[in-house]
Amino acid sequence: MAMAAIRREGRRYAPLLFPRPNAAVRSSLVSEEDVPFGARSISTQVVRNRMKSVRNIQKITKAMKMVAASKLRAIQVRAENSRGLWQPFTALLGDTPSVDVKKNVIVTISSDKGLCGGINSTSVKISKALHKFSGPDKETKYVVLGEKAKAQMVRDSKKDILLTIAELQKNPLNYTQVSVLADDILKNVEFDALRIVFNKFHSVVSFLPTISTVLSPEVVEREAESGGKLGELDSYEVEGGETKAEILQNLSEFQFSCVLFNAVLENACSEQGARMSAMDSSSRNAGDMLDRLTLTYNRTRQASITTELIEIISGASALEG
Amino acid sequence: MASNAAVPFWRAAGMTYITYSNICANLVRNCLKEPYKAEALTREKVHFSISTWNDGKPEKPVLRSDTLED
């Protein structure tokens, strides 16, 4: 109270005794235009506004982290259960990423929403690397799931995109949806091998980009002749009235659908995990920024009080002397 | 594709194995009794928007939605 009274006294004499404050007094955070007009002391207004907005951002990112954590818990169980869908296929048909085919189609899976760290960029990077890797006389095209990868692909690989799919996560992910999608892809796309690029969820902090390869039945036949795992297919007995070619075709379609389902679920898990860690580091950064701003605020406040005191005391001594 | 073997009716009609198994699954889900049936039918909701690209230009996106699209 006394301070405020003294400050008011000082302000009354101030315009007579001192000219407008010079730039040396200002703190580096306060710019010329932002200080309220007519204020004699250094204004802490700007710093206070920044602190308020940083604090709000910190609260928002903390809330987003909680939301992502709860979504992750729900979907992680489903992703782990869905791994059992494609494991028998890999046991039967093998996963041969090194297969040499003419028509490659790369299915890139990404998220629709942002703020999830770097997972979409890594998926796109791997897809582009696969494209470059496949060599001169081979055709490689893209099928893109998710808005984020679409935005990145459109920049330089527009000609190679066959299909883009969006709004996949509007309803909770289920097998029916993914299988309808797989069906659409199979009907619209000619391929010898499908390479599905997604982020596999290993743990909350580790998501590794993975490629799963699904071969078309003709290629399976071809590879079967060259031996290896596929060559053992002939040792299986076929029941019922179907031929081996038909069974292979059914299996290949079903394999694609299962692998795609697992890939979409794992990618969704990785997205939530990445979002959790991104929001966590963002709240931590906001906290650090808030600490630094608080120090600046206190320094500015103390400096302004000191200058007020100096002005008042020198003014008073000038009057006496 | 060898057409000397008898092709199953659904493949002759243009369906893939995936569509066939989805229809079968739908039939099985419809056989459930009431509280479980509603839960199971929520697992069938399909919604996505797909758009084909020609030469670097996207066409108008087609929204595939509703419970089950064959």
Side-chain angles (χ1 to χ4, degrees):
Chain A
M1 285 304 290
M3 272 310 301
I6 294 175
R7 211 177 288 156
R8 273 196 300 267
E9 287 283 313
R11 275 211 196 102
R12 250 184 272 153
Y13 295 113
L16 309 171
L17 296 168
F18 292 102
R20 290 203 61 91
N22 54 9
V25 172
R26 299 211 190 268
S27 115
S28 57
L29 277 180
V30 177
S31 59
E32 284 279 353
E33 324 75 51
D34 294 324
V35 176
F37 179 69
R40 257 312 267 124
S41 53
I42 304 165
S43 172
T44 54
Q45 186 67 22
V46 175
V47 183
R48 261 204 307 242
N49 282 343
R50 278 202 84 170
M51 280 170 66
K52 195 165 72 166
S53 63
V54 171
R55 210 175 291 130
N56 284 340
I57 290 181
Q58 191 183 29
K59 286 190 197 150
I60 291 174
T61 52
K62 271 202 188 130
M64 284 184 74
K65 177 186 165 190
M66 298 282 129
V67 167
S70 71
K71 286 192 180 167
L72 176 67
R73 247 175 293 137
I75 207 173
Q76 187 175 350
V77 171
R78 303 185 62 203
E80 285 178 8
N81 289 340
S82 80
R83 283 181 192 163
L85 268 181
W86 56 261
Q87 276 159 357
F89 279 110
T90 316
L92 176 68
L93 297 171
D95 191 351
T96 48
S98 57
V99 73
D100 191 19
V101 287
K102 282 261 157 27
K103 287 199 183 145
N104 271 319
V105 172
I106 300 181
V107 181
T108 311
I109 305 190
S110 71
S111 61
D112 278 342
K113 303 204 179 123
L115 291 182
C116 49
I119 52 170
N120 293 326
S121 311
T122 48
S123 288
V124 169
K125 219 172 28 168
I126 300 260
S127 311
K128 290 190 183 163
L130 263 186
H131 182 108
K132 241 200 288 190
F133 187 61
S134 61
D137 59 339
K138 307 201 184 111
E139 246 182 72
T140 317
K141 297 271 176 194
Y142 294 109
V143 170
V144 181
L145 268 83
E147 297 281 343
K148 293 289 153 189
K150 180 171 96 169
Q152 291 189 26
M153 289 287 192
V154 157
R155 260 188 279 142
D156 52 357
S157 314
K158 261 169 99 161
K159 299 220 176 47
D160 290 326
I161 301 182
L162 282 175
L163 291 172
T164 59
I165 293 117
E167 293 179 33
L168 196 58
Q169 294 217 28
K170 187 158 170 190
N171 296 331
L173 289 170
N174 54 32
Y175 178 74
T176 314
Q177 177 171 3
V178 176
S179 65
V180 171
L181 182 59
D183 192 37
D184 266 353
I185 295 179
L186 282 174
K187 285 200 175 125
N188 285 329
V189 162
E190 275 188 34
F191 64 95
D192 283 335
L194 281 165
R195 299 184 194 272
I196 306 176
V197 177
F198 63 102
N199 292 86
K200 188 162 172 159
F201 181 80
H202 287 277
S203 81
V204 179
V205 295
S206 111
F207 340 100
L208 298 178
T210 331
I211 307 176
S212 289
T213 313
V214 173
L215 304 171
S216 75
E218 295 92 17
V219 177
V220 171
E221 288 275 359
R222 208 184 67 193
E223 293 291 318
E225 279 145 36
S226 56
K229 204 155 197 182
L230 291 171
E232 294 167 16
L233 278 180
D234 277 329
S235 58
Y236 287 93
E237 219 180 85
V238 174
E239 277 185 34
E242 294 171 340
T243 62
K244 180 174 164 211
E246 264 176 38
I247 294 191
L248 272 183
Q249 193 176 19
N250 292 347
L251 275 183
S252 150
E253 291 171 358
F254 192 45
Q255 180 188 17
F256 176 45
S257 172
C258 293
V259 170
L260 192 65
F261 179 56
N262 180 60
V264 169
L265 275 181
E266 301 257 2
N267 203 55
C269 266
S270 309
E271 176 198 339
Q272 300 297 344
R275 189 167 292 138
M276 247 179 81
S277 66
M279 291 296 107
D280 181 46
S281 64
S282 154
S283 344
R284 213 174 320 122
N285 288 342
D288 287 346
M289 202 187 253
L290 207 52
D291 286 341
R292 273 180 304 155
L293 281 173
T294 310
L295 286 176
T296 315
Y297 174 69
N298 282 333
R299 267 204 312 267
T300 323
R301 188 177 53 91
Q302 288 168 347
S304 78
I305 293 174
T306 311
T307 44
E308 289 277 355
L309 278 177
I310 292 177
E311 288 167 6
I312 293 163
I313 293 174
S314 40
S317 68
L319 281 179
E320 285 168 20
Chain B
M1 283 295 298
S3 51
N4 41 14
V7 185
F9 63 95
W10 43 271
R11 203 173 273 288
M15 283 203 271
T16 58
Y17 179 74
I18 304 177
T19 334
Y20 174 57
S21 79
N22 271 342
I23 298 180
C24 296
N26 190 17
L27 293 172
V28 172
R29 283 190 197 112
N30 277 327
C31 298
L32 289 174
K33 276 205 224 167
E34 215 3 86
Y36 305 105
K37 185 172 179 175
E39 278 179 37
L41 286 182
T42 58
R43 287 204 292 266
E44 278 196 336
K45 293 220 183 335
V46 171
H47 179 101
F48 59 90
S49 130
I50 185 170
S51 111
T52 36
W53 284 54
N54 272 326
D55 276 343
K57 289 210 175 12
E59 319 208 320
K60 203 154 164 7
V62 171
L63 186 69
R64 310 238 337 187
S65 185
D66 257 326
T67 51
L68 192 59
E69 289 274 308
D70 301 325

